[in-house]
Amino acid sequence: MPDRMKIISAAKSHGGVQGVYSHASDACACDMTFAVFVPPQAGETPCPVVWYLSGLTCTHANVMDKGEYRRMAAELGLIVVCPDTSPRGADIPDEKDNWQFGSGAGFYVDATQEPYAKNYRMYSYITEELPALIAQEFPADMASQAIFGHSMGGHGALTIALKNPGRFKSCSAFAPIVQPGTAGWSRPAFEKYLGNDEASWRSHDTTSLVEDGHRFPELLVDQGTSDGFLNDGLRPWLLEAACAKAGIPLNLRMQEGYDHSYFFISTFMDDHLKWHAKRLSDPKAGA
């Protein structure tokens, strides 16, 4: 295996392999870590790729350890890629006492403001650099890709899909931040990463992208009714209104009594993977 990707760990699971890897990232100017589950079917043929983007404070490990995706991914023959959320390291600008910013809170944007512009380039990392590495190193069918995520990662999945509709055949989210430019826990990060010109934030904001003409064939969103961040940070009704006006089919499922945790995510993980698998097998999906 080339030196540019190192194996941190690899374990057999449900007939496939759950691996954790690291590489030197040009986009983020630091070493980045990511997890990949390769199903048993990949021994015979390249498999579709599903990207899972994690939320604030998380790494690749949160969903890998608590998301309970491997059994269904193995059954459906899906490669699941779980990137880190942010650049990390001693030399990375950070606010260690602020969980809503810096390391663990990259918001999947390319920062334009100093001192963050050098490292916080998660949009380029997720859409360009890491896909190229996955295509090179894994038995992946890059013509069949889906994307989903949780919270900040749901924001990332929705915005990336809307800006790259030809790449992804499906997109879904758990409790996404649908309008980060006005949400209390994300607006300060946008100011620091992107500057004070709020017009520049629109390309990183799901509802604004929809308002500005970006389209995706359909979306699936699960949201817990007992989520403590529902009314301030998440506000799925804003996405519902934007999609209704734009004619984008949105299946918004308000799940009674569920919160923001991985107990919620793991409960509905199978639903999302099945939903993606159905669309990944449809040659017309994402067209």
Side-chain angles (χ1 to χ4, degrees):
M1 183 171 291
D3 292 339
R4 65 185 303 240
M5 189 178 82
K6 299 178 181 178
I7 301 175
I8 295 175
S9 64
K12 188 170 183 178
S13 179
H14 295 283
V17 175
Q18 176 66 69
V20 178
Y21 310 89
S22 69
H23 72 116
S25 168
D26 292 331
C28 298
C30 65
D31 288 346
M32 294 291 287
T33 302
F34 61 98
V36 180
F37 175 71
V38 178
Q41 296 88 332
E44 302 294 331
T45 185
C47 291
V49 177
V50 181
W51 296 82
Y52 179 89
L53 306 186
S54 290
L56 288 161
T57 74
C58 294
T59 70
H60 66 281
N62 294 75
V63 69
M64 184 180 73
D65 293 344
K66 298 182 286 187
E68 301 181 19
Y69 57 82
R70 279 173 289 273
R71 181 189 60 79
M72 185 55 64
E75 180 179 321
L76 298 171
L78 301 174
I79 290 175
V80 180
V81 181
C82 308
D84 201 347
T85 61
S86 310
R88 299 177 191 271
D91 298 327
I92 306 299
D94 194 10
E95 293 183 5
K96 296 186 183 301
D97 295 328
N98 183 0
W99 64 275
Q100 297 172 339
F101 183 73
S103 179
F107 280 94
Y108 303 100
V109 304
D110 282 353
T112 59
Q113 305 300 301
E114 299 300 337
Y116 310 107
K118 176 182 178 181
N119 304 108
Y120 288 85
R121 302 184 66 244
M122 290 301 297
Y123 179 81
S124 291
Y125 179 70
I126 296 296
T127 61
E128 298 174 13
E129 185 174 28
L130 190 54
L133 186 63
I134 296 298
Q136 177 180 324
E137 302 293 345
F138 295 90
D141 178 4
M142 301 303 284
S144 295
Q145 296 186 63
I147 190 166
F148 71 146
H150 170 232
S151 194
M152 180 184 72
H155 140 76
L158 291 168
T159 55
I160 288 171
L162 284 165
K163 289 192 282 188
N164 300 273
R167 176 179 299 186
F168 300 101
K169 292 190 173 184
S170 56
C171 175
S172 70
F174 299 102
I177 306 171
V178 304
Q179 196 176 91
T182 63
W185 66 350
S186 49
R187 181 180 174 86
F190 270 40
E191 291 175 345
K192 294 173 185 177
Y193 288 141
L194 303 173
N196 294 322
D197 180 8
E198 295 186 22
S200 70
W201 301 1
R202 296 185 68 84
S203 64
H204 302 287
D205 185 299
T206 298
T207 58
S208 296
L209 284 167
V210 172
E211 290 170 0
D212 292 345
H214 291 265
R215 298 292 181 264
F216 202 79
E218 58 181 330
L219 301 169
L220 169 65
V221 171
D222 274 319
Q223 171 65 61
T225 62
S226 295
D227 191 321
F229 302 111
L230 179 59
N231 292 318
D232 178 46
L234 306 174
R235 303 171 296 168
W237 48 86
L238 299 177
L239 177 62
E240 187 174 38
C243 287
K245 186 175 181 179
I248 298 175
L250 168 65
N251 184 6
L252 173 59
R253 309 193 307 183
M254 299 300 296
Q255 304 291 1
E256 186 65 33
Y258 284 90
D259 60 14
H260 200 68
S261 72
Y262 269 89
F263 296 114
F264 158 61
I265 295 168
S266 62
T267 299
F268 300 103
M269 178 64 76
D270 283 4
D271 287 359
H272 282 244
L273 290 175
K274 289 177 182 178
W275 193 83
H276 288 297
K278 181 178 179 180
R279 286 147 184 83
L280 287 166
S281 64
D282 183 354
K284 296 181 180 179

